Amino acid sequence: MTCFGDERTLDMPGQDDGCHLPMTRRNLLIAGASSAVAVATSAEAAAPSTPAEHASVPTAEVRMSVNGTPHTLDLDTRTTLLDALREHLHLTGTKKGCDHGQCGACTVIVDGRRINSCLTLAVMHPGAHVTTIEGLGTPEHLHPMQEAFIKHDGYQCGYCTPGQICSAVSVLDEIKQGIPSHVTGDLTVRPLLSMDELRERMSGNICRCGAYSNIVEAITEVAGVAA
Amino acid sequence: MKPFTYERARTPAEAAAAVARQPGAKFIAGGTNLLDLMKLQIETPPHLVDVNTLGLDRIEPMTDGGLRIGALVRNTDLAADDRVRRDYAVLSRALLAGASGQLRNKATTAGNLLQRTRCPYFYDTNQPCNKRQPGTGCSALGGFSRQLAIIGASPTCIATHPSDMAVAMRVLDAAVETVRADGHTRTIPIADFHRLPAGNPQVETALEPGELITAVTLPKPPGGTHVYRKVRDRASYAFALVSVAAIVQPDGSGRVALGGVAPKPWRDEAAEAEMPRGAKAVMARLLAGAQPTADNAFKRPLAERTLAAAITQARA
């Protein structure tokens, strides 16, 4: 195993896999920034094999607003929005599940739309307004969807929950906007809110504990419709 | 992911030139397929050209009564567009049958056409795959081939094209507008856009290096009743085993394209002459020459039954 070529080691500096990196990803980025390496760095020269070469991976600057706070980040171009949130802004509420857009645990709301933050690069979002679970509510002032998930026991282990809640908030917004779904009967009229609609629209969020029925009840309550 | 340099393009022609300039460079739009493949090092572009800022995100009426869909229109927006829902419902239905809400919010019209196969052997970098590494062989032949192609494949590759949207585009006679690195534009009929594998399964489209899709156009509305039926292993968020896009006219004539059975959306206009005689007659011609494996021989009767159900649904 090539320790320095293993992205997981870089993404998860605390993980003990037998490789002892002398630098964390964050330190590497600081080194990259201080050596003023431009985006134009040739990728071949930056091919990772030693720590010294790692310091010259291509970086780019991106400014975005996260939960209302502006941030300027200088990032390895490979950094996903998910890793930028978790590893650079320390907003660890957003979870890394499959890291391939299959589970929905990383769902956040960008410019009013839910997306998989694992399948987009942070540098692709200049000027974006990102809302994570931390921005929806606080322990003292929960978002109604957070309250409903607690009331209806919409989770067991809780790992998928931030993604489920961000997705659920967006789902209600999408129905309000009239965006149809696979189960919408008539495409020429506005979709109605129903259990079938909620189940279909939430299918991109997997819950290994199987809390689905309680999740649907929670969303239904927030939508103002009797379960 | 392998390291890569990154730039934001300012015009379509500049984007095309930037990708043509550097071997292996790629456009990135939604990124939902490309980044997945880059994480697995199936794709290792040394340079990415971000086309999200090119403004190709509008759906506009054309003078001939058709619709021009910008390459960057997100799948959600295309499916939700009032004109598409009313006049090209098969396209809305196909889009909504694919992926998840999160992915549709990011995935683009052009990117959807360009998405790569989900053949498990293409994804498993420990296995030979002619599409991923030309000349290494096809692990799917003799392997687990339940999901894979029954027609249009070759001894080098039996992968299917995974898109639902492309199947609807094919039945609607869409066309793909592009710009090349030298600034020249051209229009490619959807029927000629995706290529069959023959001896080069790594070549999947008619696009030249650096050629950028700028829009997909639809001819004037075809009328009729539009149906998209997708059969899959679970009710949502799964790729098709078989899908049928059908437009059925009141006199019983119609058009049919299939997904999940071939390396490209599968349509044969000659087979559509059989529409008034029913699904069995259509499939006898549409799937003539099919060479299924023992694992996926079920797709042939499944396609016939799915079309029969689509015709019934259209006439209901």
Side-chain angles (χ1 to χ4, degrees):
Chain A
M1 177 182 167
T2 310
C3 295
F4 300 117
D6 185 349
E7 194 200 11
R8 286 170 304 160
T9 314
L10 288 170
D11 281 347
M12 301 177 182
Q15 171 182 302
D16 185 6
D17 60 0
C19 290
H20 298 288
L21 280 177
M23 300 173 88
T24 64
R25 171 179 278 257
R26 200 161 300 112
N27 288 337
L28 290 171
L29 286 166
I30 292 164
S34 63
S35 60
V37 174
V39 180
T41 309
S42 101
E44 247 182 88
S49 59
T50 68
E53 286 178 18
H54 250 308
S56 64
V57 294
T59 63
E61 187 183 279
V62 63
R63 293 176 196 187
M64 62 173 76
S65 162
V66 181
N67 300 329
T69 306
H71 293 279
T72 302
L73 297 164
D74 191 25
L75 299 170
D76 181 329
T77 54
R78 293 173 292 182
T79 310
T80 60
L81 178 59
L82 172 61
D83 287 339
L85 294 170
R86 287 183 54 85
E87 307 295 337
H88 296 268
L89 299 177
H90 312 294
L91 292 167
T92 53
T94 306
K95 299 302 187 222
K96 181 179 282 196
C98 68
D99 210 22
H100 286 276
Q102 297 173 4
C103 76
C106 68
T107 303
V108 299
I109 302 168
V110 178
D111 296 329
R113 297 190 144 197
R114 57 178 172 149
I115 64 168
N116 299 111
S117 63
C118 75
L119 280 189
T120 193
L121 299 170
V123 295
M124 289 164 65
H125 294 277
H129 293 268
V130 181
T131 302
T132 69
I133 191 71
E134 291 94 340
L136 279 181
T138 63
E140 296 75 30
H141 300 284
L142 293 174
H143 185 281
M145 194 65 78
Q146 291 172 309
E147 278 186 16
F149 266 64
I150 294 167
K151 179 180 167 187
H152 291 278
D153 208 14
Y155 49 82
Q156 193 178 115
C157 81
Y159 196 81
C160 73
T161 311
Q164 298 275 3
I165 290 176
C166 284
S167 205
V169 168
S170 287
V171 160
L172 295 186
D173 188 45
E174 287 164 14
I175 293 174
K176 200 171 156 191
Q177 288 179 49
I179 295 171
S181 87
H182 175 58
V183 300
T184 303
D186 184 349
L187 285 180
T188 61
V189 298
R190 297 179 69 81
L192 301 170
L193 197 139
S194 70
M195 304 285 260
D196 277 351
E197 284 281 2
L198 293 180
R199 278 192 285 263
E200 162 60 26
R201 290 169 191 267
M202 291 296 291
S203 71
N205 291 82
I206 310 298
C207 171
R208 228 191 85 162
C209 304
Y212 297 112
S213 62
N214 293 2
I215 290 171
V216 171
E217 283 178 20
I219 302 171
T220 305
E221 175 168 304
V222 177
V225 176
Chain B
M1 273 187 261
K2 294 285 189 187
F4 54 84
T5 49
Y6 168 89
E7 70 176 295
R8 277 179 213 116
R10 284 179 299 179
T11 68
E14 271 185 34
V19 165
R21 201 157 42 232
Q22 189 164 347
K26 287 205 167 274
F27 304 111
I28 188 162
T32 55
N33 190 207
L34 180 58
L35 289 169
D36 180 27
L37 295 170
M38 285 170 65
K39 289 180 182 195
L40 297 166
Q41 298 194 9
I42 294 167
E43 297 273 15
T44 54
H47 184 65
L48 287 183
V49 177
D50 187 339
V51 294
N52 282 291
T53 48
L54 295 183
L56 304 170
D57 54 0
R58 285 183 291 279
I59 305 174
E60 297 166 322
M62 298 195 301
T63 50
D64 66 355
L67 220 47
R68 175 178 279 107
I69 302 155
L72 291 162
V73 172
R74 308 290 155 172
N75 287 178
T76 297
D77 296 320
L78 185 54
D81 184 88
D82 286 339
R83 294 159 291 186
V84 175
R85 287 157 77 169
R86 185 187 64 223
D87 297 331
Y88 306 95
V90 67
L91 179 56
S92 276
R93 288 293 183 198
L95 283 158
L96 295 170
S100 65
Q102 290 97 315
L103 290 167
R104 289 191 297 271
N105 279 344
K106 206 86 186 90
T108 63
T109 306
N112 193 315
L113 288 178
L114 294 174
Q115 64 179 306
R116 316 242 9 227
T117 186
R118 264 57 173 201
C119 174
Y121 300 100
F122 174 72
Y123 264 76
D124 184 348
T125 52
N126 294 310
Q127 305 279 344
C129 169
N130 285 323
K131 192 184 275 298
R132 178 167 30 79
Q133 274 185 300
T136 56
C138 174
S139 304
L141 283 166
F144 184 74
S145 56
R146 180 171 177 272
Q147 292 273 354
L148 303 175
I150 61 171
I151 195 163
S154 84
T156 65
C157 182
I158 58 169
T160 49
H161 194 268
S163 170
D164 292 294
M165 185 199 80
V167 182
M169 292 293 195
R170 179 70 180 88
V171 89
L172 288 167
D173 287 325
V176 181
E177 294 186 344
T178 70
V179 61
R180 287 184 275 198
D182 60 7
H184 283 101
T185 59
R186 65 168 171 157
T187 301
I188 307 168
I190 189 77
D192 303 330
F193 183 77
H194 293 106
R195 291 178 48 155
L196 294 179
N200 294 296
Q202 75 280 9
V203 182
E204 297 172 352
T205 70
L207 294 177
E208 294 172 6
E211 189 170 6
L212 175 73
I213 299 174
T214 51
V216 176
T217 60
L218 299 176
K220 67 177 179 15
T225 303
H226 293 214
V227 176
Y228 189 78
R229 284 187 83 100
K230 180 175 181 179
V231 183
R232 42 187 161 173
D233 283 334
R234 56 176 184 241
S236 184
Y237 201 17
F239 289 99
L241 290 168
V242 164
S243 70
V244 169
I247 300 174
V248 183
Q249 301 295 345
D251 65 0
S253 65
R255 309 179 190 178
V256 180
L258 302 180
V261 298
K264 61 188 279 187
W266 198 250
R267 182 179 176 199
D268 175 0
E269 281 80 347
E272 292 167 2
E274 304 288 345
M275 273 295 276
R277 281 174 284 286
K280 193 179 181 70
V282 174
M283 284 302 165
R285 288 187 73 169
L286 185 54
L287 293 180
Q291 292 184 297
T293 65
D295 283 346
N296 65 23
F298 72 93
K299 286 193 177 188
R300 198 175 176 147
L302 183 60
E304 186 181 314
R305 289 169 195 164
T306 308
L307 176 59
I311 293 172
T312 303
Q313 183 182 335
R315 289 176 180 164

